[in-house]
Amino acid sequence: SRLRLSGLCFLLQTLTILLFAAFVRFGPDSSPGLCSQPLNCSQRNQDSGSQHPRFRDVYLQTLLGFGFLMAFLSRYGPGSVAISILVVAFAIQWAVLLQGFLHQFWNGKIHMGAQSMVRADSGAAAALISTGAVLGRVNPAQTLLLTLLGVTLFTLNEYTLLSLLGVSDSGGSVTVHTFGAYFGLMVSRTLHQPHREQWEEQQGTGQQPDVFAAVGTLCLWIFWPSFTSTTTAHSSAEPWVVLNTYFSMAASTMATFILSPLLYEESTLRMVQIQDATVAGAAVMGMAGEMLVTPFGALIAGFLAGLIPPLGFRFLTPFLRSRLKIQDTCGVHNVHGLPGVLGALLGTLLAALATADAYGGRLELVFPLVARGSRTRTEQTLLQLSALPLSLLLAALGGCLTGVVLRMKGLRSAPANRYLQN
């Protein structure tokens, strides 16, 4: 197992180095972003002076916010953080290559800039979400292969939705949260092992994971608005995303404090529950954040999203485990999947209500094809709605295929007792 991981890391890193040497070159920050045609990918020319702070915030969000999401298992916390760093280290390199070939490839070279790295972080985030569904049940080599296939399918899904269909999903309700969650759930279902019940009873949580969760929650509050705003339309539309995300996270946190004491006997919420509420509130704003959701609308959406994790862990997670044979270690279905679906439905509703009178000049920034008259509001609404089933279909098929690959004899996990001592 030790040599298998070492060899796989060497092989993948050598491959990426060769591909970077052959194709990747630095380009100006004003080079075309993810859009190979003038559709709304929420990728406009950015002020290069503002790239570094947002670039830094996105990286901190991915490494700390997402990384500590997986540190709640008392015997697996430090190991899960280490695996998260491995996933991010490889996913960013692979995403830069794949997104570059699709969006920034001309004259035989990939011309990348700071925005390329920012967008690659979305692929890393989706891979981390998928990893959460199988946390502790796959070895590092399997995790690395899951990242390889997951980022590849994520890039294909993102390109189809954002570039070809012109869907607006700047914060990734569908492309990051929904796709990452259901891709991971299908991998988990394919890898189902019926004799893991004893291990699941021992995995537990403890005081140290609560410390990790506290740090992760603070990072989510500080850096997530930057994460959702890095790919939105610049200038006047950008503050909408930041403010709407903050309002949504605040309301979702309040919802958890309201509902969790009614569902559980504990008098005090654990930090893991607050962390889940924060993620759910941010996920629901992924698609709708740059739209005219209004402050009170963001509060309502965040409150509804905050109800999902406690209800999901109480009722849906046992159902998934017992009836559908899906072992969702981190509960990504409750924290990312369902809030992402809610965010997609909210974005579709707001697209149906988008008018020039309501948006003014911002309609060109959020829905440029509608503003120019080349697409009707109804067509944009239907495309926004179609993003959800298309992502779910690709996630389901890709997850099943990835699970089959990970079940290969040479990649199977070590005995569970080895992971209990991590």
Side-chain angles (χ1 to χ4, degrees):
S1 176
R2 175 169 50 89
L3 296 178
R4 177 177 54 202
L5 175 62
S6 176
L8 183 60
C9 288
F10 176 78
L11 177 64
L12 293 178
Q13 187 60 66
T14 302
L15 174 63
T16 54
I17 289 175
L18 293 175
L19 291 174
F20 266 74
F23 297 107
V24 179
R25 299 292 183 270
F26 285 120
D29 288 335
S30 59
S31 63
L34 290 181
C35 298
S36 57
Q37 48 185 310
L39 295 176
N40 179 33
C41 301
S42 297
Q43 288 293 121
R44 300 349 184 251
N45 290 338
Q46 304 276 344
D47 179 9
S48 59
S50 67
Q51 283 298 322
H52 176 68
R54 295 196 290 178
F55 176 77
R56 175 200 59 208
D57 290 352
V58 170
Y59 259 99
L60 289 173
Q61 160 66 21
T62 304
L63 287 172
L64 299 180
F66 278 97
F68 286 128
L69 283 174
M70 303 180 187
F72 67 95
L73 299 181
S74 58
R75 300 186 181 185
Y76 195 66
S80 65
V81 176
I83 294 301
S84 298
I85 296 175
L86 172 65
V87 169
V88 171
F90 174 67
I92 289 177
Q93 299 178 65
W94 192 239
V96 166
L97 284 169
L98 296 181
Q99 292 174 346
F101 280 121
L102 289 176
H103 308 291
Q104 297 161 302
F105 189 75
W106 64 90
N107 296 329
K109 302 295 180 182
I110 296 173
H111 297 268
M112 64 159 292
Q115 193 67 9
S116 304
M117 297 292 287
V118 169
R119 290 306 308 175
D121 270 303
S122 297
L128 287 173
I129 293 171
S130 301
T131 303
V134 294
L135 182 66
R137 296 188 292 112
V138 294
N139 57 47
Q142 288 174 308
T143 303
L144 204 55
L145 287 177
L146 185 152
T147 303
L148 172 70
L149 297 174
V151 171
T152 301
L153 293 169
F154 163 83
T155 304
L156 176 62
N157 183 59
E158 184 187 55
Y159 177 75
T160 302
L161 298 183
L162 304 188
S163 291
L164 299 183
L165 299 182
V167 173
S168 177
D169 186 29
S170 61
S173 283
V174 174
T175 54
V176 177
H177 296 280
T178 302
F179 177 84
Y182 288 99
F183 175 81
L185 290 174
M186 292 308 299
V187 173
S188 179
R189 176 63 184 87
T190 308
L191 295 176
H192 173 70
Q193 295 175 321
H195 303 295
R196 289 282 183 160
E197 287 77 10
Q198 182 180 2
W199 170 77
E200 289 178 353
E201 292 176 359
Q202 299 178 53
Q203 62 185 1
T205 59
Q207 183 177 3
Q208 186 183 33
D210 278 344
V211 174
F212 284 142
V215 176
T217 302
L218 293 176
C219 291
L220 294 175
W221 274 93
I222 295 171
F223 299 117
W224 198 301
S226 294
F227 183 82
T228 57
S229 68
T230 50
T231 58
T232 59
H234 191 48
S235 71
S236 59
E238 184 177 345
W240 288 7
V241 186
V242 176
L243 298 177
N244 286 335
T245 302
Y246 272 123
F247 283 133
S248 181
M249 291 192 299
S252 65
T253 302
M254 293 293 292
T256 296
F257 273 93
I258 293 171
L259 186 58
S260 292
L262 303 178
L263 297 176
Y264 303 96
E265 296 180 357
E266 293 86 353
S267 58
T268 304
L269 265 70
R270 301 190 61 177
M271 281 305 305
V272 172
Q273 294 171 294
I274 302 173
Q275 185 183 47
D276 292 339
T278 304
V279 176
V284 77
M285 281 292 107
M287 179 179 287
E290 67 173 341
M291 301 179 189
L292 189 58
V293 67
T294 71
F296 82 90
L299 290 173
I300 294 174
F303 185 83
L304 294 177
L307 300 176
I308 295 176
L311 289 173
F313 283 109
R314 182 63 183 270
F315 301 108
L316 287 179
T317 299
F319 174 80
L320 292 177
R321 183 185 301 115
S322 61
R323 298 297 181 87
L324 301 182
K325 309 303 180 184
I326 297 177
Q327 297 162 304
D328 184 7
T329 307
C330 285
V332 297
H333 183 243
N334 310 315
V335 180
H336 297 277
L338 291 179
V341 171
L342 179 61
L345 297 177
L346 176 61
T348 301
L349 174 62
L350 293 174
L353 300 176
T355 62
D357 293 337
Y359 279 76
R362 303 188 186 202
L363 185 64
E364 171 69 25
L365 298 174
V366 182
F367 299 112
L369 297 182
V370 176
R372 298 167 193 161
S374 57
R375 176 179 293 175
T376 66
R377 187 174 58 183
T378 302
E379 292 172 341
Q380 183 67 43
T381 302
L382 292 176
L383 288 171
Q384 295 289 134
L385 182 61
S386 69
L388 183 58
L390 289 175
S391 290
L392 292 175
L393 178 62
L394 185 59
L397 295 177
C400 290
L401 175 62
T402 302
V404 171
V405 173
L406 299 187
R407 286 176 66 94
M408 295 172 60
K409 184 176 181 180
L411 295 171
R412 290 176 184 173
S413 300
N417 58 354
R418 291 182 59 181
Y419 291 95
L420 289 173
Q421 305 306 321
N422 187 303

